[in-house]
Amino acid sequence: MTAAGVTRRCLAAMTLGVGATALVASRTSAADEPHRDLQFPPGFTWGTATSAYQIEGAVREDGRGESIWDTFCRVPGKIRDGSNGDVACDHYHRFKEDVALMKGLGVRAYRFSIAWPRVFPEGRGAVNPKGLAFYDRLIDELLTNGIEPVPTLYHWDLPQPLQDRGGWEARDTALALADYAGFVAGKLGDRVSRFFTLNEILTFIEEGYLRGRFAPGLTLTRRQLNQARHHAVLAQGLAVQAMRANGHGNLKVGPAENIIIAVPAFETPANIKAAERATRDLNAPLLTVMLEGRYTDTWLAAQGEDAPRFTDDELRAIGSPVDFVGLNIYGPSVYVQASEAAPGYATLPVPETHPRMIHWLIFGPEALYWGPRQTASLWNVKDIYITENGTPAADKPAADGIVYDLDRIMFLRQYLAQLRRATAEGVPVRGYFLWSVLDNFEWNEGYSSRFGIVHVDFKTQKRTPKLSAAFYRKVIADNALA
Ligand code: IFM
């Protein structure tokens, strides 16, 4: 068989959802054996990740309310290709096909998000049973196919009525999120044991409330921004409390944050220490306050009059103990070197020629080593999940119909090698969720930026696994780098 023939057979098997076992069982030569020296720990959770607004579509079905993203997409010029999430991957109707695809990949867990406006169209108050029923169906389908459902409560689709009352600038939004989180934990907690709370507070606050590039499109002052972020970290702590109070006994919960990672420019003991210190400082109003239960003195002093207003009770809530920490990691945020001058590190300029993925993603696989290692050492976290990692690529089917996304495979191989370096050293990373299983609505980039390992033709909704899907399936089957 030709090389393209082999690739096509392997990818076709995946589409049918039967490939993984068949392919692994048909291994015949020693050359196809897993790398013994590149193994991940036994029981490592291999998964994929998505979010509701980016894939579901069906925005006006079964009583779903409006979210800030529905509103934002209608503002001319906000979305690069003028698109929206009205249909997206039509996952609301095609979830069975998508679960079959994931089964074909061999994934053990699926991280998706629950659309708050489907469950509470007004944000709070009357529940919409039909909205919740969708997640019942999805969870049951996943479990039937041997895939663990891992929901995230909030992936940016704030109900519009809450935005009309101030959104994250209003403290009440944190209370509303906690009510919603407690409700969902009570309803789904019989079949779900691992939940994530809010996804990437850093991004939705900075992009939505400072730069205006994401919904709701605001450009607040630093003082207002600090307060909005404070309400978001408060929501995380209150949600943890509400979920423990309403959930079932085995519930485990934690945040999914895109930690700002300072990577040592090169690995001397002084640079390593400096980078760890920089990471703690850079995350002061995010993971640091969530995991330490207080804003650092340095950060508060730097904010001066613009510091958020808060109470001791709020800090206690924000610091509510979590069961694990999810890290969304795409690359290093900064490279640092140790410095004699305060604060003990210097941030280095990134050269124009530094490798990038497409236009924005700085290629820096070592972030997948330093992020978890620093999280474990700074905050004594015992269970870490990589809740997102992946890359956009210029994916196009070739003449033979196959998407040869070798650049994505290069990206994943390099990043996973660094993750494996971490697990081999005993850093407690328990699982990895690849972003994303499907090409989807990439926020202000619309459909122009493809992150999936499965290609989606948005005109026909045809799903076609890319070459990276075969790569990832091999990694999962072997529990080792391929
Ligand atoms: O698509 C997003 C996701 O919603 C949040 N994390 C980053 C991804 C890629 O930009």
Side-chain angles (χ1 to χ4, degrees), residues 50-51 54 111 155-156 199-200 203 214 258 328 330 360 388 390 392 435-436 440-443 449 451:
T50 64
S51 88
Q54 293 180 272
R111 174 177 176 248
H155 199 123
W156 309 353
N199 185 72
E200 296 186 6
T203 309
F214 282 12
N258 49 337
N328 293 2
Y330 289 86
W360 59 275
E388 286 184 26
W435 186 274
S436 175
N440 58 49
F441 177 75
E442 177 55 23
W443 308 112
S449 194
F451 270 87

